[in-house]
Amino acid sequence: MVGQGVACSRRHLMVLLGMMMTAPEIGRASVAHRPRGQRAACRTTIAALMLTLVLCSPRVAAQPACGPPGLQQLAPVAWGFDLENTRLAKKSTISRGNIGRLTLKWVYGLATDQPRSMPLVSGDTMFVGDGGRGIVALDRESGCERWRAPLDSEVGSSISFAREAGGKEVRLVVAMRDEGIFALNARDGEAGWFSKPGDNPVPLYSGSPLVHNNVVYVPGSSLEIALSLNPFYGCCETSGGMSAISVEDGAVLWHRRTIPGLPKVTGRRLLFIETHGPSGAPVWGAPTLDRKRGLLFFGTGQNYSHPASATSDAIFALNTSDGSVAWLRQFTANDAYNLACNAGGPNCPDPVGPDIDFGAPPVLVTLPGSRDLLIAGQKSGDVHAMDPQTGDVVWQRKLGRGGALGGIHWGMAAHSQKGILVVPMSDLYAGDLTGVGDARPGVHALDLETGRTLWSHPASARCPDRVCWGGFSAAISLSPELVFAGTLDGMLHVLDLQTGELLWSHDSWRNFDAINGVPTSGGAFDAHGPLLVDDLLIVSSGYGSFSQRPGNALLVFQIGAGESADE
Amino acid sequence: MSDRTLAGRGRRLAATVIDLVLVVITGFALLLVTGALEDAEDYASSYFYLRIPALGVAAWLLLNGAPLWRRGQSIGKLILGIRIVRLDGDLPGPLVHLGRAFFFLLLYASATPLGVLALIDHVLILRADRRCLHDLLLRTEVVRTDAGEQASAEGG
């Protein structure tokens, strides 16, 4: 759990008490002139004070050399750059005209080889989820560490924020994946409230929280997908969910389970172990907010056990006021899968489903004719365009063979005014859970109005030098003129938004000389994908979750920057 | 008790292997019956994993508690015809058995830094008196149960 400002624990205090009782030989020189008994007492006191300072010091390691962070011009407002998850950075100044001058500015070595936390950027600072080191505030120009807030678990989300009354102070809101949601002061990293919303005893907060109007919307997944590997586990009984909590104190405003009813005992094996269902339908993608209709959209994953529910592999629309369901549309029924299926364990559902969740957040767009569409991309490789008011399907396209690792995995992007939807396709082989049909890894642009293909940029394989799959699993991003997309074999591409022409590439499949001195290497581009702020392109390279090449490189590119960070 | 014959190293090793396997099997049986890790609630605490060594201790006690107390023999030692005795030849008390159990359970942690202690413990079996570290610390040795018969046969 996040510490409440200090690291002092009961164990530390016991050690302290022991010190006081045993009079250690510390501080000899400074107390040598005192009588023996008095010296011993004094030494004890000094030692105790020193230990107190060490153990009970605030959990924020300040770096005064870099100064405190500025909190103006914070971006992005959400994982999808905006509340509608278009992943269009409207204010990005990276354009077709200057893309040739985009070069590496500096590289930071993260403390994880599967980073999945997207930074938050102010006018002079980057707030970064740094694996097991917690959250760090880095100087935007130099990468110098302004402060570090140690955490007990890795950050698994983008870093959201809310301005406090008066607008000067900023509260960062972050999901610690297997712990909960916590807030901290952006000025110095001091810990604030902690919240663990939902009714799941083994929650997994994989999706990024969305902050709007003093409410934090928190997606909920479940550790049960992995607990199912234990053959003595009676899979499965938890439900995914969405919670709304107060940005002021983390109090839960409402919680909506994605499986409405409670699980029932569905069977028994080895005489004692009771199995349960329905379960699953986790939410591990960021939600999408429709301010006009007061709706919150999100996709769900598969069931973990049978009987399958009518809410898995579905798009939900909740009323933001109370979390009630406005509409719900399931696109794949009877999809039950958990990790026991990979290991041949007894908890694997029979029949096993294809595991084709909605991980990519739905994208809400307004077409040039003022018509709104909600567009969802599925791991099956399908794109579904819906009426956001009713959930009725307007058009559908299948762009790849899909599978458990996508298909459309982490996130699409859209430019409403230009009427273009850009879809990254992974189509990575996933064993028995590989989809059917021909693989079409690449980036595909569709007409938002009709779903017609405008252009396609096929992925290229670079065998035998590296993994032979250049699919696009990571979320992609747009500037007003360009598409930024990373491949599973470590290439970062920039394409022309109108034509798909390849304009710029960077190979991150190598070692880097990081500014923080940490051994740093790039790998697969996956998860949250590139972030665009002003003339910066920020992206982490490496993601070792599912046999992709791991890596820990946080790459910061800038228009006109030198290549000095290269090895 | 001058006719005590020290147990051979092979027998002691075989007895230990039998005990290791039996404790694991019994531990799984206990896991099954108690449902200690069967529901999501069981994993809610950060310390849920402590249930695993706790089940191991329970399994060891269930299997070996009574035979050790009454005869100085674990199941493995019973099968292999050897027993634990104090240096004066008497049966050890329960505290001695608990101390030995600690070293026995260390074997399950061989892949951790504690494994070094387990290794040191068992390497000492190569001493002439075949006493491991736990024997030295707890003033015990392991002897054959048929030593009396063997001595008689040899004498006759």
Side-chain angles (χ1 to χ4, degrees):
Chain A
M1 211 185 90
V2 183
Q4 299 298 309
V6 294
C8 197
S9 69
R10 186 176 298 150
R11 183 167 57 85
H12 295 142
L13 290 173
M14 292 298 285
V15 173
L16 200 61
L17 192 60
M19 293 280 293
M20 290 175 169
M21 294 173 71
T22 53
E25 297 296 305
I26 302 173
R28 183 182 296 274
S30 61
V31 295
H33 62 284
R34 297 174 189 272
R36 187 178 180 80
Q38 201 178 342
R39 283 209 307 266
C42 195
R43 285 172 197 144
T44 306
T45 306
I46 290 170
L49 285 172
M50 288 170 67
L51 200 63
T52 306
L53 282 171
V54 170
L55 297 178
C56 302
S57 58
R59 297 192 71 173
V60 175
Q63 298 285 326
C66 307
L71 302 177
Q72 301 304 311
Q73 304 165 337
L74 282 164
V77 299
W79 183 92
F81 301 159
D82 49 34
L83 301 173
E84 294 79 23
N85 273 322
T86 65
R87 293 189 66 90
L88 167 63
K90 291 177 185 163
K91 293 181 181 173
S92 170
T93 57
I94 306 177
S95 66
R96 190 180 166 91
N98 63 20
I99 186 66
R101 294 174 47 231
L102 184 67
T103 47
L104 199 55
K105 183 179 176 68
W106 49 263
V107 179
Y108 182 84
L110 295 163
T112 174
D113 63 5
Q114 47 184 47
R116 49 188 295 157
S117 173
M118 192 166 68
L120 175 71
V121 183
S122 77
D124 65 4
T125 301
M126 285 183 202
F127 302 93
V128 177
D130 190 12
R133 293 187 73 232
I135 291 185
V136 293
L138 306 178
D139 180 81
R140 179 169 150 163
E141 278 304 307
S142 65
C144 174
E145 189 172 296
R146 298 184 189 279
W147 56 251
R148 178 170 77 91
L151 304 172
D152 293 344
S153 167
E154 289 198 12
V155 176
S157 73
S158 62
I159 300 174
S160 303
F161 70 95
R163 289 203 179 272
E164 297 185 4
K168 286 187 177 176
E169 294 304 315
V170 170
R171 186 173 286 157
L172 304 181
V173 179
V174 183
M176 218 163 29
R177 204 168 171 211
D178 53 0
E179 291 286 344
I181 310 302
F182 65 94
L184 64 165
N185 190 321
R187 185 76 64 190
D188 54 12
E190 186 180 351
W193 52 258
F194 174 80
S195 179
K196 198 167 187 171
D199 58 355
N200 186 344
V202 285
L204 206 54
Y205 299 99
S206 302
S208 290
L210 180 76
V211 178
H212 182 65
N213 272 356
N214 292 323
V215 178
V216 187
Y217 300 99
V218 182
S221 181
S222 177
L223 196 60
E224 266 200 313
I225 189 168
L227 294 180
S228 62
L229 284 165
N230 175 4
F232 293 91
Y233 188 73
C235 181
C236 282
E237 54 193 349
T238 62
S239 165
M242 181 64 67
S243 306
I245 62 177
S246 164
V247 82
E248 292 300 323
D249 55 8
V252 177
L253 306 174
W254 53 256
H255 173 71
R256 172 63 49 194
R257 288 167 57 97
T258 55
I259 297 177
L262 293 175
K264 296 186 171 124
V265 175
T266 55
R268 190 184 292 268
R269 68 169 188 271
L270 294 176
L271 296 177
F272 294 97
I273 301 172
E274 290 181 337
T275 55
H276 308 85
S279 60
V283 187
W284 59 273
T288 304
L289 188 66
D290 184 343
R291 284 170 285 181
K292 191 160 56 177
R293 297 175 183 81
L295 295 178
L296 189 75
F297 306 112
F298 58 88
T300 59
Q302 81 287 358
N303 289 117
Y304 297 152
S305 57
H306 287 297
S309 68
T311 57
S312 57
D313 295 346
I315 298 296
F316 271 76
L318 301 185
N319 291 300
T320 53
S321 55
D322 59 2
S324 59
V325 179
W327 57 261
L328 161 70
R329 181 160 299 279
Q330 185 179 47
F331 286 95
T332 303
N334 298 312
D335 181 7
Y337 159 84
N338 60 52
L339 287 180
C341 302
N342 299 51
N347 279 321
C348 181
D350 183 19
V352 62
D355 183 25
I356 44 177
D357 352 6
F358 286 96
V363 182
L364 181 63
V365 293
T366 300
L367 300 180
S370 297
R371 180 185 188 185
D372 290 348
L373 280 181
L374 182 70
I375 304 178
Q378 195 175 357
K379 289 202 307 192
S380 61
D382 291 283
V383 181
H384 315 276
M386 291 161 278
D387 180 339
Q389 187 68 45
T390 62
D392 292 340
V393 173
V394 178
W395 55 258
Q396 287 176 302
R397 285 290 310 277
K398 183 167 175 65
L399 296 174
R401 73 178 171 190
L405 298 173
I408 300 159
H409 202 181
W410 282 90
M412 308 180 296
H415 195 307
S416 295
Q417 289 178 325
K418 294 184 177 176
I420 301 175
L421 174 74
V422 189
V423 183
M425 190 61 58
S426 165
D427 272 1
L428 182 61
Y429 177 75
D432 293 341
L433 299 174
T434 305
V436 242
D438 293 333
R440 292 190 65 209
V443 179
H444 309 281
L446 305 184
D447 175 49
L448 270 173
E449 184 96 42
T450 63
R452 177 177 57 88
T453 299
L454 300 174
W455 52 259
S456 283
H457 170 82
S460 53
R462 294 189 291 169
C463 302
D465 299 337
R466 60 186 66 192
V467 64
C468 297
W469 201 258
F472 293 80
S473 174
I476 60 169
S477 312
L478 306 182
S479 72
E481 295 182 351
L482 305 170
V483 181
F484 298 78
T487 69
L488 287 167
D489 64 351
M491 292 297 292
L492 184 60
H493 293 312
V494 178
L495 313 174
D496 184 284
L497 177 58
Q498 293 286 5
T499 64
E501 179 191 356
L502 179 62
L503 302 175
W504 182 94
S505 287
H506 176 88
D507 187 354
S508 73
W509 195 279
R510 62 191 176 101
N511 295 327
F512 293 93
D513 188 7
I515 50 164
N516 55 340
V518 172
T520 301
S521 62
F525 284 106
D526 213 332
H528 50 273
L531 170 65
L532 306 169
V533 178
D534 302 330
D535 62 347
L536 297 177
L537 162 60
I538 306 158
V539 63
S540 55
S541 175
Y543 192 75
S545 276
F546 297 100
S547 302
Q548 304 97 317
R549 175 168 152 128
N552 65 332
L554 178 69
L555 310 174
V556 179
F557 297 88
Q558 187 177 32
I559 297 294
E563 281 276 351
S564 57
D566 279 1
E567 218 174 37
Chain B
M1 302 290 283
S2 56
D3 56 351
R4 294 202 311 270
T5 303
L6 287 175
R9 296 185 181 97
R11 277 180 188 251
R12 289 189 65 175
L13 176 65
T16 301
V17 170
I18 290 170
D19 286 336
L20 282 169
V21 172
L22 287 179
V23 166
V24 168
I25 292 171
T26 309
F28 278 131
L30 285 177
L31 180 58
L32 188 64
V33 173
T34 61
L37 292 170
E38 188 179 318
D39 299 316
E41 288 286 352
D42 299 329
Y43 297 83
S45 160
S46 302
Y47 301 104
F48 75 88
Y49 55 87
L50 291 178
R51 294 180 183 212
I52 296 168
L55 281 168
V57 170
W60 180 85
L61 277 173
L62 191 67
L63 270 178
N64 298 321
L68 278 172
W69 169 252
R70 292 184 179 179
R71 310 163 60 107
Q73 290 175 303
S74 64
I75 300 294
K77 287 183 170 60
L78 187 64
I79 293 170
L80 271 296
I82 57 179
R83 72 156 44 107
I84 306 157
V85 293
R86 294 193 328 206
L87 294 182
D88 60 10
D90 289 341
L91 288 177
L95 287 180
V96 171
H97 288 309
L98 283 177
R100 291 179 63 97
F102 169 76
F103 283 94
F104 171 77
L105 292 171
L106 270 185
L107 291 169
Y108 293 104
S110 293
T112 71
L114 285 174
V116 176
L117 186 54
L119 182 68
I120 293 170
D121 177 24
H122 284 80
V123 161
L124 293 186
I125 191 75
L126 299 174
R127 287 162 50 101
D129 61 2
R130 300 175 197 170
R131 293 174 70 205
C132 296
L133 179 60
H134 58 261
D135 289 314
L136 295 171
L137 290 175
L138 298 163
R139 303 181 61 76
T140 58
E141 60 186 6
V142 179
V143 298
R144 292 178 60 151
T145 53
D146 60 355
E149 297 163 20
Q150 192 182 27
S152 302
E154 285 169 0

